[in-house]
């Protein structure tokens, strides 16, 4: 079953110290209050999201799953962001993993340290 903008909103707002704020005419979700760092934004048409992603990891993700991951040429080139097509996300579990990963990159270190349950499992 495809994930939806409502799934994004529900998961994003469930993460610690997260809030929603309209920016550039679209919903953005921030960590650290209304003026905190953006960790996810919804596209105008609610079919995709933008999430934090280290630039060095983007090509591998896009190469492995081009139907799911992409960048907007000329817009995302210089930023540590990746786009995700919601229809290609397997389920809300995968969506949650994507959003948590983005939240971890944007959240202040003290907040990440206070929520070890969100840290990725280490071997």
């Amino acid at each position: 079953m495809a994930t939806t903008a409502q799934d994004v909103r529900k998961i994003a707002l469930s993460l610690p110290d997260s809030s929603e704020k309209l920016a550039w005419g679209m919903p953005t979700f921030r960590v650290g209050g209304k003026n905190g760092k953006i960790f996810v934004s919804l596209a105008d048409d609610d079919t995709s999201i933008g999430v934090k992603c280290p630039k060095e990891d983007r090509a591998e993700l896009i190469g492995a799953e081009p139907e799911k991951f992409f960048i907007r040429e000329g817009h995302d080139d210089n930023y540590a962001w990746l786009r995700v097509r919601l229809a290609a996300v397997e389920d809300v579990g995968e969506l949650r993993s994507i959003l948590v990963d983005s939240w971890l990159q944007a959240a202040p270190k003290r907040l990440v340290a206070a929520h070890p349950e969100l840290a990725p499992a280490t071997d």
Side-chain angles (χ1 to χ4, degrees):
M1 185 163 105
T3 56
T4 66
Q6 194 56 34
D7 295 327
V8 172
R9 181 170 279 110
K10 181 178 178 181
I11 294 167
L13 292 175
S14 76
L15 297 172
D17 201 19
S18 295
S19 61
E20 182 175 349
K21 182 178 179 179
L22 198 63
W24 308 288
M26 66 185 120
T28 63
F29 299 88
R30 298 162 185 257
V31 57
K34 292 268 186 214
N35 294 317
K37 290 187 178 180
I38 297 172
F39 69 97
V40 64
S41 63
L42 271 168
D44 298 346
D45 61 4
D46 287 350
T47 63
S48 66
I49 57 173
V51 294
K52 302 270 302 167
C53 179
K55 284 196 232 179
E56 60 272 11
D57 295 344
R58 296 188 309 189
E60 183 179 340
L61 289 166
I62 293 167
E65 297 183 85
E67 71 288 347
K68 185 181 299 180
F69 301 112
F70 67 104
I71 61 170
R72 279 186 14 205
E73 298 290 334
H75 187 271
D76 298 328
D77 301 337
N78 298 317
Y79 301 99
W81 281 87
L82 180 70
R83 306 291 166 156
V84 183
R85 291 178 184 91
L86 292 175
V89 175
E90 289 180 29
D91 55 29
V92 292
E94 182 185 22
L95 179 61
R96 179 173 172 74
S97 293
I98 291 168
L99 295 180
V100 167
D101 185 61
S102 187
W103 182 92
L104 288 167
Q105 293 175 65
K109 288 182 181 11
R110 64 164 172 73
L111 189 57
V112 171
H115 294 280
E117 73 280 7
L118 295 176
T122 57
D123 294 331

